[in-house]
Amino acid sequence: GCNAIVEDYIALEASLSDQQLKDESPVSVAAIYSVGLGDMQQILNEFRQRSPNSKVRVEYLHPDRVWEHVLNETADLGLLSFPRKSRDIIAHPWREEAICLACSASHPLASNRDVDLQQLDGEAYVAFDRELVIRRKIDRYLRDDGVKVDITMEFDNIESIKKAVSLGQGLALLPRPSLIEELNTGALVAIPLRGAGLVRPLGLIHHRHRLSPSAQKFADLLLESSDLAPTGSPHMQPLALSPL
């Protein structure tokens, strides 16, 4: 009888150890380059306080690579713009970032309090790569308003676009949160678009397979940091994503 009790105890102890390892398993996050590093650092610090034994690794990638990493389950979670759901991927709204006009301080429009889209007609313009969703959305937005810009350069990331704009290569339509550093240094000027409701939606994606306890906790924390976080039980109910 004593042997049976000892064996049961050993089995229970091993089970609890396995569960603890699962609860503290590393969390892998794939994110697009333009997800705010400052905001992410605050979230990471909060997660360390809540789960001091868990580790999070964030890798910054091209949007297509973010999707691939989550789909192939080499990343637990993904953060990207214009998220979409599929048979294998669940998407959750995370944040919406207002799109504004970015220009150098020496540009004639830099002193404007706001601008009308028509004022961009014929202007030199630095665009996103045509393969990106945000490029297609902005192109449609300009086309619907009858605005034709003179595209001088195309890039697949916001950092390169900002650099080109600061060097006077043209204007750009960019999410305002991505311009904080340049606004603080005076390298760029951000001007609101008059009467425009143009936004870049950011979303959290993960595979339909069950998340580890650590990944679930980090996902919950990410969604807590957003006004777009879904509410109710169970956690992380997917919401419909509206097109731009």
Side-chain angles (χ1 to χ4, degrees), residues 169-184:
Q169 297 300 313
L171 306 170
L173 292 174
L174 296 174
R176 196 180 192 287
S178 69
L179 299 169
I180 299 301
E181 183 177 346
E182 288 74 17
L183 295 179
N184 288 337

Side-chain angles (χ1 to χ4, degrees), residues 1 42-43 47 51 99 111 119 132 134 165-166 187 200 204 206:
Q42 291 181 7
I43 294 170
F47 185 70
S51 304
I99 300 290
S111 60
Q119 293 175 263
L132 296 178
I134 191 170
V165 172
S166 69
R200 180 179 77 154
L204 171 67
H206 64 87

Side-chain angles (χ1 to χ4, degrees), residues 150-172:
D150 179 18
I151 297 177
T152 59
M153 294 182 173
E154 300 179 10
F155 296 100
D156 67 354
N157 66 89
I158 288 179
E159 293 305 314
S160 296
I161 293 177
K162 291 191 295 184
K163 184 66 175 178
V165 172
S166 69
L167 293 174
Q169 297 300 313
L171 306 170

Side-chain angles (χ1 to χ4, degrees), residues 181-193:
E181 183 177 346
E182 288 74 17
L183 295 179
N184 288 337
T185 61
L188 291 176
V189 175
I191 309 171
L193 298 174

